[in-house]
Amino acid sequence: MPLRFDQRVAIVTGAGGGLGRAYALELARRGARVIVNDVGASRDGTGASDAAEQVVAEIAALGGEAIASGASVTDAAAMDAMAAEAIDRFGRIDILINNAGVLRDRSFARMTAEDFAFVLDVHLTGSANATRAVWGTMRAQGHGRILMTASSSGLYGNFGQANYAAAKLGIVGLARTLHLEGAKYGIRVNTIAPTAGTRMTQDIFPEQAFAAFTPDSVAPAAVYLVSDDAPSGAIVGAGAGVFQAAYITLTPGVRLTGDDLSAEGVAAHWAAITDRRGEIVPGSGAEQAMSILQQLQ
């Protein structure tokens, strides 16, 4: 059966181009009513344009229904106002895709405090602002689907992206916690780590790779992860039609006692400590403490 979103209402931030635009258009094709949010800035967060209005026009041409929002995700009050407008217009909010982002890449030695803080503000605090704006509505409905956007840079690191990587891994922690807190209210929270050829990456990818890594080849994962039958707590990599699952694992570890309970003991047992045989994927942070208690018993 095709995935449909009839009567569902979706907010997509950063939807004026690239991935966000692809998500918004695909949701609209499948029946969703969409709030297209974008300030229309360049990839470093400066300037403005009517990008959101252009995507709304594209959705209208498809026979869909959408409204534009030029609110900045860094402005919590503006996010609240955007959510209120969605409720006034459509009566509910079912889906939020936190996609808005900027890049200010530099090696850490050359990165200013302003550039570090601004990227965290847009990606991490912006995701929290938008989510907080819809959280109460989703709880009251007993239904909600939220998709966060992380990155391989956050999961694994990337040269010249200390600010971006810090924000993106912070988003993973936010998503994992909201997955736990939202479960009893019917709110499912997932994370996508996309690789796509967009204006954010146009001078990073070789030309041939840029053409292969289209936003449309990522959109299927995003659409599934906000569907009624979506999982929750997943971290999904997506790019060029390849879809992967990422996990944060924990090795069984080694209990050190006596003289071994020292820096020298850690060094001596390092191979056993890092041995991945029998590693687990904790469902929450508490499971690390539980695994330690099991060894103490």
Side-chain angles (χ1 to χ4, degrees), residues 27 32 57 59-61 94 109 127 137 146 148 151 162 250 270 275 279 284 290:
L27 286 169
I59 291 172
D94 300 284
S127 294
T137 294
I146 296 172
M148 301 289 189
S151 168
L250 186 70
W270 187 247
D275 187 342
E279 69 183 2
S284 71
M290 291 170 60

Side-chain angles (χ1 to χ4, degrees), residues 196-242:
T198 69
R199 65 176 182 162
M200 296 272 280
T201 59
Q202 62 187 359
D203 57 356
I204 299 173
F205 279 139
E207 184 175 344
Q208 186 174 359
F210 186 89
F213 285 90
T214 63
D216 288 343
S217 69
V218 172
V223 169
Y224 170 64
L225 291 172
V226 296
S227 67
D228 284 356
D229 294 330
S232 190
I235 305 170
V236 176
V242 176

Side-chain angles (χ1 to χ4, degrees), residues 22-156:
Y23 301 160
L25 289 172
E26 188 60 21
L27 286 169
R29 289 187 190 101
R30 293 172 179 267
R33 293 167 289 179
V34 185
I35 293 82
V36 179
N37 168 260
D38 202 298
V39 296
S42 63
R43 70 177 184 176
D44 67 355
T46 59
S49 72
D50 62 350
E53 286 83 356
Q54 292 177 29
V55 176
V56 168
E58 288 186 80
I59 291 172
L62 294 171
E65 190 173 1
I67 57 175
S69 165
S72 171
V73 296
T74 63
D75 185 337
M79 289 293 97
D80 289 342
M82 178 183 68
E85 182 180 6
I87 293 293
D88 288 343
R89 179 73 175 268
F90 300 124
R92 58 187 296 117
I93 302 170
D94 300 284
I95 295 163
L96 169 65
I97 300 182
N98 283 306
N99 173 73
V102 295
L103 285 178
R104 291 189 178 181
D105 291 355
R106 289 181 180 84
S107 67
F108 191 64
R110 298 177 56 200
M111 187 176 293
T112 66
E114 178 189 5
D115 284 345
F116 194 94
F118 181 69
V119 169
L120 261 70
D121 195 25
V122 172
H123 288 273
L124 180 54
T125 305
S127 294
N129 287 340
T131 302
R132 189 181 295 109
V134 305
W135 193 253
T137 294
M138 289 182 174
R139 279 177 37 133
Q141 291 171 171
H143 175 88
R145 298 291 182 266
I146 296 172
L147 184 61
M148 301 289 189
T149 303
S151 168
S152 58
S153 297
L155 293 169
Y156 310 112

Side-chain angles (χ1 to χ4, degrees), residues 272-296:
I273 291 168
T274 58
D275 187 342
R276 298 189 64 178
R277 288 175 294 182
E279 69 183 2
I280 62 171
V281 180
S284 71
E287 290 191 23
Q288 181 177 9
M290 291 170 60
S291 70
I292 293 171
L293 289 171
Q294 288 174 355
Q295 292 212 36
L296 295 180

